[in-house]
Amino acid sequence: MTYSASVVGGTGFTGGELLRLLAGHPEFEIEQATSRSKANKTVGHSHPNLRELDLRFSDPEDLESVDVLFAATPHGVSMEQIDAFQDAADTVVDLSADFRLDTEAQYDEWYDGHSRPELLEKSEYALPELNRENLEGADLIASGGCNATATIMGLLPLFEADILSGDEQVVVDVKVGSSEGGAGGGAASSHPERSGVVRPYAPTGHRHEAEIEQFLGIDVSFTVHAVDMIRGASATCHVFPDGPVSKGDLWKAYRGSYEDEPFVEMVAGGGGVYRYPEPKAIAGTNKAEVGFELDPGNKRLVVFSAIDNMMKGSAGQAVHAANVALGIEETAGLDFQGLHPVGAP
């Protein structure tokens, strides 16, 4: 069976990734891509890697009826346009933050409020490794934030194996690429300003903390740095368990959670150059790399996780979730293995 699909907000980096994935997906047919600023221009005008697509951007006011609508719009847009999106499609997958959290109070605290709070309990978080069972048949899906996704992927097995209860101290440091700022960018994202930096841009109070707290039930000390790469989010989590933990305990926990997951690779101190998770190694893929190391002297556990922020952290996660929701083979359209060697991801 083939499903028709549209991408609202198709000129951004994530919109381009959605179009790339859907164009190569065996079960999806792209019917529409919208853009206010580039209406009537070809998709290749914004995404040169997609020049072969015979598709032009249309005005988002003229939505066509499709099976699945992917909304790659700025935060705040989807909650205002959700009625139009749901009128146009049986399944809506939103890649903004508009439906990720459970309550209106959370949006009042972390964002600028919410205009459609009655829909929050109806949306499903898109990360299959966390929420697969609830995604089946879902018609409103919220793709997770990239920094939250990287962090949750690293820490989740520790909670599933009861190594952590939620009362422990957890310090998370995330390094992110410039694509996280979107195609619009800004002064801080210009190449002369961004190149060569390791810049703390959210030392405290990053909005993605809300997702981590919601799904793991833990307060985290969370800091994000901008670094000199294009794609990627790399999370280093410093965890201080209440009791002793062995490497055997950790391998059992991580294998128990991820051994059968098609998009998770364990990279934990093996041989070669890439001994721990590295965004460069998985750029362009829907994979997450996860690893760990013990520091017995300080009673510390260090967890590493790496994703491509535009794939596992956004467009790839959205397509993966749509596959699950529609009963399509989970890996369909997401089998790109990545490249090595490559330059800055």
Side-chain angles (χ1 to χ4, degrees):
M1 182 175 179
T2 299
Y3 295 90
S4 58
S6 61
V7 175
V8 177
T11 55
F13 292 146
T14 299
E17 285 294 84
L18 281 169
L19 291 168
R20 176 177 71 88
L21 294 174
L22 295 172
H25 197 293
E27 306 289 344
F28 280 114
E29 187 74 29
I30 304 173
E31 295 291 337
Q32 186 180 30
T34 77
S35 169
R36 293 188 186 279
S37 62
K38 301 291 175 62
N40 298 318
K41 293 188 180 295
T42 64
V43 165
H45 180 83
S46 294
H47 307 297
N49 58 320
L50 302 178
R51 285 180 177 136
E52 75 278 6
L53 288 185
D54 184 18
L55 183 67
R56 291 180 179 271
F57 293 114
S58 56
D59 192 289
E61 298 297 328
D62 301 319
L63 292 179
E64 298 178 11
S65 294
V66 292
D67 296 313
V68 185
L69 181 150
F70 294 88
T73 54
H75 303 324
V77 173
S78 288
M79 69 175 75
E80 298 297 334
Q81 299 296 320
I82 188 61
D83 289 336
F85 293 169
Q86 291 186 318
D87 286 344
D90 296 326
T91 303
V92 175
V93 185
D94 181 50
L95 281 76
S96 77
D98 285 6
F99 296 99
R100 291 173 184 167
L101 303 180
D102 288 342
T103 68
E104 185 177 11
Q106 288 171 293
Y107 281 95
D108 290 339
E109 178 181 358
W110 293 97
Y111 291 89
D112 299 315
H114 204 287
S115 61
R116 298 299 300 277
E118 73 278 8
L119 294 178
L120 296 177
E121 64 180 16
K122 300 179 181 179
S123 69
E124 292 294 344
Y125 200 61
L127 189 61
E129 291 85 358
L130 178 71
N131 198 38
R132 179 176 281 105
E133 291 184 1
N134 293 326
L135 283 169
E136 296 176 3
D139 55 17
L140 179 56
I141 298 169
S143 191
C146 50
N147 301 322
T149 296
T151 304
I152 290 170
M153 292 298 296
L155 294 176
L156 181 61
L158 301 179
F159 288 91
E160 293 185 335
D162 295 325
I163 292 173
L164 295 182
S165 66
D167 296 327
E168 299 83 358
Q169 181 183 10
V170 177
V171 179
V172 181
D173 183 271
V174 184
K175 306 293 194 300
V176 301
S178 57
S179 60
E180 188 173 297
S189 295
S190 69
H191 183 72
E193 299 292 350
R194 181 68 182 240
S195 181
V197 305
V198 181
R199 177 190 300 143
Y201 79 85
T204 63
H206 194 287
R207 289 171 167 178
H208 289 187
E209 287 183 37
E211 294 169 59
I212 300 166
E213 294 175 2
Q214 174 172 288
F215 292 106
L216 297 183
I218 188 171
D219 293 328
V220 293
S221 301
F222 191 83
T223 297
V224 182
H225 289 77
V227 299
D228 189 5
M229 62 182 179
I230 296 172
R231 290 175 178 261
S234 177
T236 301
C237 305
H238 305 273
V239 182
F240 299 86
D242 289 336
V245 181
S246 69
K247 275 206 170 181
D249 295 331
L250 294 175
W251 277 111
K252 182 178 179 181
Y254 281 88
R255 285 174 175 156
S257 292
Y258 292 146
E259 190 169 34
D260 296 326
E261 289 292 346
F263 296 114
V264 183
E265 301 285 349
M266 290 300 303
V267 185
V273 175
Y274 296 92
R275 299 179 60 230
Y276 297 100
E278 169 59 59
K280 179 177 177 180
I282 51 175
T285 80
N286 192 51
K287 293 181 179 180
E289 289 189 343
V290 179
F292 53 79
E293 194 58 78
L294 279 175
D295 181 9
N298 291 305
K299 299 180 180 179
R300 179 178 61 129
L301 166 61
V302 187
V303 174
F304 308 98
S305 51
I307 62 171
D308 182 327
N309 59 295
M310 291 194 295
M311 283 293 296
K312 187 64 176 174
S314 192
Q317 182 183 147
V319 172
H320 188 186
N323 286 347
V324 175
L326 296 171
I328 300 171
E329 167 59 42
E330 283 196 29
T331 59
L334 296 169
D335 55 0
F336 178 62
Q337 294 297 307
L339 303 171
H340 178 77
V342 293

